[in-house]
Amino acid sequence: MELPNYKDVFKKDKIKTKKFELDPNYKLKYSGKKYFLKTYGCQMNEHDSENIKALLEEMGFTEVEEYKDADLVLLNTCSVRENAHNKAFGMLGRFKHLKEEKKDLVIGLCGCMAQEEGVIKEIKEKYKFVNFIFGTHNIADLPEILDRAINEGKQEIDVKTFSDEIIENIPVRRVSNFKAYVNIIYGCDKFCTYCIVPYTRGREHSRKKEDILREVEALASDGYKEVTLLGQNVNAYGHDLYNDYSFGELLEDVAKTGIPRVRFTTSHPWNFTDKMIDTIAKYPNIMPSIHLPLQSGSDKVLKSMGRRYTKESYLKLFDKMKSKITNCHISTDIIVGFPGETEEDFQETLDVVNHCNYDNAYTFIYSPRENTPAAKFKNQVDEKTKEERLQILNKLVNKYFLENNKKEEGQTLEVLVEGKNEKIDGYYGYSKEMKLVNFTGKNIKIGDLVNVKITKAKTWSLDGNAN
Ligand code: 5AD
Ligand code: SF4
């Protein structure tokens, strides 16, 4: 049993890469058993779930849609805001009820919440019906942990706060056969004062470029149309491995594989280099849609968040991207109600939104997180003020979404078809600019790239026709 320990959060060591191997005996043991997996949080978690599903399936389990039908239920959790945290605990409550009827039900928890000391303490004390827990650094150990929990019949908790290993070749069952996530860097060293991610995902560890490029090439030759390069901060790629190879170079090498669409997320505005901008501008298969979290427009708040940029430097970067990258679309994340945020500070955020008229924005109320510096700041903003600011901000960003979408009316956009839209007897998909497009058309196949003429703009989507 290894428990999360925040003392190890700042530890850093040279990374070893290891290859994954699975004990073939599990398949005989667990064949015919059913599992249910629920995922909360970001794309990183969604992609981890693709590994978790493949591991369980290689152990002999098959997936079911309803948790009530499962022999094993597992939650892949998120800690980023209290909301996600509460949802996971709510779901554990439902699993508890099910276990009262189904005594052999095996209940597991993994993901970011598993890395929190407070969560583990609470589960050990009050959620004794949870059978096993593993963390974000030891997904590859799932088969052994699960097997131990079942055989030994006691709560099995195995969470590492520090890891100096990257395990390659963990099996993956991708949700889509035309778009794929590819991890390039794990963890985050920025320690923004509001953010729990450095505690739950550990220090920055880049994957070797050869491993990344091999994965992208294999996806391209399997007919995948789109890859999204994933990292908590992709800009930091390579600094722990190479002297002269960073994210700009990697992006260029990925573009050169010829895969039709390359995306990446997330970028920190602090070290977004000219090389990155020039590469995005140069390669038509790097999508002109960039996520550039602002968080706040006030220099005072940015400083207290530990963001390492100012309103002025953010706007300078934003304007440079817009001028150098053709058809550049930018989305953002904004937090309102950070400790100490005054009306004037909030107004500065609105000023930036008015300048940037974003194509998309994820807006959040500040949520204090365990062990983060900002949770201990004295000048917390009251809930009512936070709610009011969120509403004002949402109204403003929505106005710009619609205005920007209206500019697409009459244009033809290339859309990657993701699925059917039964309501309109048509389809939906995303354009290069990351616009959600609902459209009708004949002879359309899911996974195709099709040209869609935009007929109507809405706030969060576009309507169109493909013929
Ligand atoms: N409270 C509110 N929002 C947060 N985010 C991260 N931590 C918090 C927090 N404690 C938001 C940031 C980040 C996005 C993924 O979630 O805007 O960019
Ligand atoms: Fe949530 Fe952050 Fe963990 Fe993603 S990395 S699941 S956003 S806490």
Side-chain angles (χ1 to χ4, degrees):
M1 180 176 296
E2 189 172 340
L3 303 182
N5 181 350
Y6 288 145
K7 284 202 196 82
D8 287 346
V9 156
F10 299 96
K11 249 172 134 174
K12 203 159 179 159
D13 211 343
K14 204 163 165 52
I15 295 300
K16 300 187 280 285
T17 302
K18 283 201 348 203
K19 287 244 184 308
F20 176 78
E21 279 173 65
L22 183 74
D23 178 345
N25 290 321
Y26 292 134
K27 193 131 204 165
L28 294 171
K29 223 165 153 184
Y30 296 109
S31 234
K33 295 277 185 204
K34 302 189 185 84
Y35 78 92
F36 168 86
L37 172 65
K38 171 119 184 109
T39 309
Y40 301 90
C42 63
Q43 289 104 325
M44 189 71 76
N45 251 25
E46 280 176 36
H47 186 41
D48 285 348
S49 281
E50 295 185 324
N51 289 129
I52 292 168
K53 285 183 181 189
L55 285 171
L56 291 172
E57 288 168 23
E58 296 219 349
M59 286 178 83
F61 287 88
T62 44
E63 189 177 13
V64 288
E65 299 281 319
E66 293 289 330
Y67 73 91
K68 291 189 172 148
D69 300 330
D71 304 296
L72 161 69
V73 289
L74 177 60
L75 295 181
N76 189 5
T77 60
C78 168
S79 315
V80 81
R81 281 171 297 275
E82 200 179 355
N83 209 359
H85 187 274
N86 293 346
K87 277 191 201 155
F89 273 111
M91 200 67 191
L92 278 185
R94 283 194 240 165
F95 291 167
K96 184 180 181 205
H97 284 301
L98 183 61
K99 197 161 180 162
E100 280 157 13
E101 295 159 28
K102 229 177 164 176
K103 294 277 178 267
D104 292 336
L105 182 70
V106 178
I107 302 177
L109 183 138
C110 63
C112 289
M113 278 170 64
Q115 300 290 141
E116 287 186 67
E117 283 179 356
V119 168
I120 297 302
K121 190 164 173 279
E122 195 171 347
I123 290 183
K124 281 181 68 177
E125 283 167 10
K126 298 194 207 138
Y127 293 76
K128 296 198 165 70
F129 59 89
V130 173
N131 300 83
F132 71 104
I133 299 180
F134 61 97
T136 56
H137 299 294
N138 60 343
I139 291 173
D141 295 338
L142 160 62
E144 286 101 74
I145 296 170
L146 173 59
D147 190 55
R148 265 202 316 269
I150 293 174
N151 287 338
E152 294 175 17
K154 58 180 192 329
Q155 195 172 57
E156 190 66 42
I157 304 177
D158 198 350
V159 175
K160 292 178 169 44
T161 300
F162 166 77
S163 164
D164 60 357
E165 281 179 348
I166 288 183
I167 314 286
E168 287 293 339
N169 293 40
I170 302 181
V172 57
R173 177 156 74 68
R174 297 192 186 272
V175 172
S176 162
N177 55 11
F178 51 87
K179 56 184 242 182
Y181 293 127
V182 174
N183 284 325
I184 64 163
I185 179 167
Y186 302 97
C188 181
D189 287 357
K190 294 286 175 292
F191 287 94
C192 299
T193 56
Y194 53 82
C195 189
I196 200 166
V197 170
Y199 305 88
T200 62
R201 291 275 170 180
R203 303 286 55 75
E204 286 167 355
H205 295 347
S206 302
R207 275 180 83 194
K208 286 186 188 149
K209 60 181 178 185
E210 299 79 25
D211 290 325
I212 298 168
L213 292 171
R214 200 177 304 120
E215 186 173 345
V216 176
E217 276 156 12
L219 289 163
S221 73
D222 285 348
Y224 275 78
K225 302 282 170 41
E226 182 176 298
V227 290
T228 302
L229 307 177
L230 289 183
Q232 305 300 343
N233 173 22
V234 292
N235 306 18
Y237 177 78
H239 77 92
D240 52 328
L241 289 183
Y242 310 112
N243 291 326
D244 51 1
Y245 192 92
S246 55
F247 185 58
E249 284 77 17
L250 179 73
L251 196 53
E252 181 154 31
D253 282 342
V254 170
K256 282 184 186 160
T257 63
I259 195 147
R261 287 181 164 199
V262 179
R263 300 189 189 277
F264 56 90
T265 194
T266 295
S267 279
H268 194 296
W270 178 61
N271 49 353
F272 207 110
T273 61
D274 285 347
K275 168 73 184 172
M276 285 163 60
I277 299 178
D278 294 342
T279 305
I280 300 164
K282 181 171 165 196
Y283 290 89
N285 60 339
I286 302 178
M287 296 300 97
S289 152
I290 298 161
H291 192 61
L292 196 68
L294 168 69
Q295 313 301 7
S296 169
S298 148
D299 285 348
K300 185 193 89 195
V301 174
L302 286 170
K303 191 151 193 263
S304 149
M305 286 176 162
R307 289 292 287 174
R308 310 169 191 221
Y309 54 86
T310 59
K311 176 184 183 184
E312 193 191 340
S313 66
Y314 180 95
L315 291 175
K316 209 167 144 204
L317 173 65
F318 181 95
D319 291 343
K320 199 197 281 180
M321 285 175 171
K322 283 275 183 183
S323 70
K324 287 197 162 181
I325 302 166
T326 315
N327 191 31
C328 181
H329 286 63
I330 298 181
S331 59
T332 201
D333 290 341
I334 299 172
I335 298 174
V336 297
F338 185 78
E341 185 189 68
T342 61
E343 278 308 318
E344 291 73 40
D345 294 322
F346 177 57
Q347 192 53 52
E348 300 244 33
T349 299
L350 299 181
D351 288 349
V352 176
V353 170
N354 282 322
H355 177 96
C356 297
N357 54 19
Y358 294 106
D359 283 279
N360 204 352
Y362 300 90
T363 56
F364 309 105
I365 282 181
Y366 169 68
S367 167
R369 307 312 297 132
E370 178 180 287
N371 205 46
T372 57
K376 292 166 213 134
F377 290 174
K378 292 278 170 280
N379 43 4
Q380 300 287 330
V381 176
D382 64 273
E383 290 306 313
K384 190 165 158 274
T385 308
K386 287 190 202 173
E387 291 283 350
E388 282 167 6
R389 288 184 188 162
L390 185 71
Q391 277 189 22
I392 295 168
L393 176 63
N394 281 346
K395 218 169 139 195
L396 188 66
V397 293
N398 289 350
K399 179 182 95 137
Y400 287 117
F401 300 164
L402 185 60
E403 266 179 39
N404 286 332
N405 280 351
K406 282 223 182 283
K407 291 183 203 145
E408 312 287 359
E409 281 182 358
Q411 308 281 338
T412 297
L413 302 184
E414 182 201 81
V415 174
L416 176 57
V417 188
E418 300 234 341
K420 289 205 162 149
N421 180 338
E422 306 291 352
K423 257 205 212 146
I424 58 165
D425 197 16
Y427 302 86
Y428 72 93
Y430 285 87
S431 73
K432 290 182 169 184
E433 303 79 9
M434 204 63 181
K435 302 270 180 192
L436 173 61
V437 184
N438 293 299
F439 64 99
T440 49
K442 292 200 179 71
N443 304 323
I444 308 278
K445 283 208 307 292
I446 292 168
D448 275 356
L449 290 165
V450 296
N451 288 322
V452 178
K453 176 119 192 242
I454 303 304
T455 50
K456 189 167 169 42
K458 297 177 175 166
T459 302
W460 291 287
S461 64
L462 302 168
D463 289 346
N465 191 291
N467 301 114

